Amino acid sequence: MNLEVKTRYGRVRGYTAHGVRQWRGIPYAKPPVGPLRFQPPAPPDAWDGVRDATSFGPASLQPEDQAIANIVGRAKLPESEDCLYLNIWAPADEGPHPVMVWIHGGAYVSGSGSVNWYDGTSFAQQGVVLVTINYRLGALGFLYLGDLFGPQYHTSSNLGLQDQVAALRWVHDNIAAFGGDPNQVTIFGESAGAGSVATLLATPSARGLFHRAILQSGSGALGVHTPESATAVTQRFLAELGVEPGDAQALLAVPGPRFVEAAAALRNLALPFGPVVDGTFLPKHPLAALDEGVADGIPVILGVTRDEYRLFLAGDDRWFQADEASLRQQLRRMDERLQDSVIDFYLRHTPGENAGERLIPLVTYRVFVQPMLATADKLVRRGNPVWMYRFDWASPVLDGRLGACHAMEIPFVFNNLDQTGVDRFTGDSADRYPIAQAMHRAWAAFAKSGDPNGDGTPSWPTYDLETRTLLAFGINTHTETDPYGPERAEWNAASPPAPSIT
């Protein structure tokens, strides 16, 4: 079993566990530190000898979301500006095998490809080479400097996304040595990771580096900024840092952790950091680019969890205890153009013990479902093969308040229900395992053939604009025809505004 592999930059040595070859902490770009801070990723330096690849590289500098950490039980990972590393899980034989590249979520400000939820062992056992990556986050990865710092920083937008492209280029150039097929690459991600996948579909420099895509709880509209809105964020951020626009020397002198601290001043903004339509790396809004066929021919899976927004409200007793009038005011603060008729629709038609329970589906639809449907419709109109899913299995954790919330499907997709800490999120009921096996096999089948239907997978029809059929994964996995029809009609009748509630 070959554990010492030669890349274009030097040799790496991994190890074997559970019959799977593994390599951790392989650099795919130079450390973006010193003068390379706020610069596009550059190829890594070559090294002599054999590099040990048995330990994960550090995550990008990031804030700690203690509320979410308390629920999911994630441990704090080592962090550094020097964070551009990837990890590989590969079958025992040398292939070639299809490749899946996982892009983690975290609102573009947090996360890591080293989280144990993303362990690729089960995918490798299914005959897939699994790659996870770290990329620059928050201000270090997404602060827009082009309009304030001159020509030297003209290419410094979307650095986190440029990192992702650099990782995909590394995979294209090197993955064959690990048993992967560079001509059969699927990118997939959840939340901001799915938003990244949608953006990469519209990114010219990513063309040819992947061939299939999976978007889990994210879309082509997630957190996308114009140069004007991104510049406004940058101005607020610089004021918090105490750095004048254009003072590159001062910007480079700021200690890395200070970028994370200063971002706390933007907490009242919805996704202050994210993709920017800069005219170069990202020439057009991803949804507009899809309309023009930028992703033609690429098969796509996309979907949501049934109760997405419960993750963000599960610990907020005020939401569940508030009266209807207070919740109406809160929803209007989220979006002042939200129509009363839409709020009334959910209060009438959604079951629940209180108004808070009945209005969670409203926010779930606006933030996650509606952009997903828009993305799917554009792809279908261009002729892309599309499969849509909804994840319905509800966690019993927190007395059932989590339900089928945001991120709940991740350990099912990776078939990692037995990883340490997962049961804090999902509970430990036995009914989880058949669902995980079904989702995992479908994702692996898609990576192998561009179709999630295969041996041992549920029958899953393609999504079209007539039946709008999706596959609902749950205790009784089944198909549903146009399940969002009533909501879609209500929102369309109210002429909803374009921005999402976040």
Side-chain angles (χ1 to χ4, degrees), residues 101-169:
V101 179
W102 172 254
I103 303 174
H104 70 77
Y108 303 109
V109 299
S110 64
S112 168
S114 307
V115 175
N116 65 346
W117 286 23
Y118 311 150
D119 184 280
T121 297
S122 191
F123 272 117
Q125 291 170 342
Q126 291 285 330
V128 174
V129 174
L130 192 283
V131 180
T132 67
I133 66 173
N134 292 345
Y135 55 97
R136 282 174 280 184
L137 300 168
L140 291 166
F142 292 92
L143 194 66
Y144 180 65
L145 304 177
D147 291 345
L148 297 175
F149 281 79
Q152 181 183 358
Y153 292 91
H154 180 68
T155 58
S156 295
S157 62
N158 296 303
L159 292 173
L161 293 162
Q162 292 193 54
D163 294 343
Q164 295 169 15
V165 174
L168 289 173
R169 189 171 295 114

Side-chain angles (χ1 to χ4, degrees), residues 161-383:
L161 293 162
Q162 292 193 54
D163 294 343
Q164 295 169 15
V165 174
L168 289 173
R169 189 171 295 114
W170 188 98
V171 167
H172 180 272
D173 293 342
N174 294 278
I175 205 64
F178 297 84
D181 183 350
N183 297 310
Q184 199 170 194
V185 176
T186 299
I187 58 173
F188 69 133
E190 187 267 347
S191 195
S196 297
V197 169
T199 304
L200 293 173
L201 285 168
T203 300
S205 58
R207 288 176 187 157
L209 299 179
F210 65 92
H211 314 90
R212 294 152 195 157
I214 303 174
L215 291 74
Q216 300 172 209
S217 301
S219 69
L222 185 64
V224 178
H225 287 268
T226 64
E228 293 76 19
S229 67
T231 297
V233 170
T234 300
Q235 289 171 327
R236 284 188 56 176
F237 185 79
L238 292 176
E240 184 67 23
L241 277 183
V243 172
E244 291 295 324
D247 190 347
Q249 185 175 357
L251 193 66
L252 293 179
V254 174
R258 178 70 184 123
F259 288 98
V260 177
E261 296 168 2
L266 308 179
R267 64 169 59 94
N268 64 321
L269 300 179
L271 295 179
F273 301 114
V276 181
V277 184
D278 61 0
T280 52
F281 177 83
L282 185 59
K284 296 183 178 181
H285 191 289
L287 292 181
L290 292 182
D291 275 334
E292 297 180 3
V294 68
D296 281 5
I298 296 178
V300 175
I301 292 174
L302 76 175
V304 294
T305 66
R306 187 189 63 201
D307 307 317
E308 291 276 4
Y309 219 77
R310 282 185 174 272
L311 178 64
F312 311 105
L313 295 174
D316 185 0
D317 288 336
R318 295 171 299 175
W319 176 274
F320 295 94
Q321 295 169 359
D323 59 31
E324 180 182 316
S326 298
L327 289 169
R328 285 180 183 272
Q329 292 177 355
Q330 187 169 341
L331 288 168
R332 291 195 188 96
R333 284 195 296 270
M334 293 177 177
D335 191 327
E336 62 184 12
R337 293 167 291 184
L338 182 64
Q339 300 294 309
D340 278 329
S341 60
V342 174
I343 298 174
D344 293 338
F345 172 84
Y346 287 93
L347 289 171
R348 287 196 311 268
H349 296 288
T350 305
E353 296 180 359
N354 52 57
E357 287 275 357
R358 296 198 297 276
L359 289 173
I360 291 175
L362 182 157
V363 193
T364 289
Y365 185 87
R366 190 68 185 97
V367 176
F368 293 99
V369 176
Q370 194 173 54
M372 174 195 69
L373 294 175
T375 302
D377 288 359
K378 291 177 183 297
L379 290 165
V380 168
R381 290 190 182 101
R382 294 295 308 185

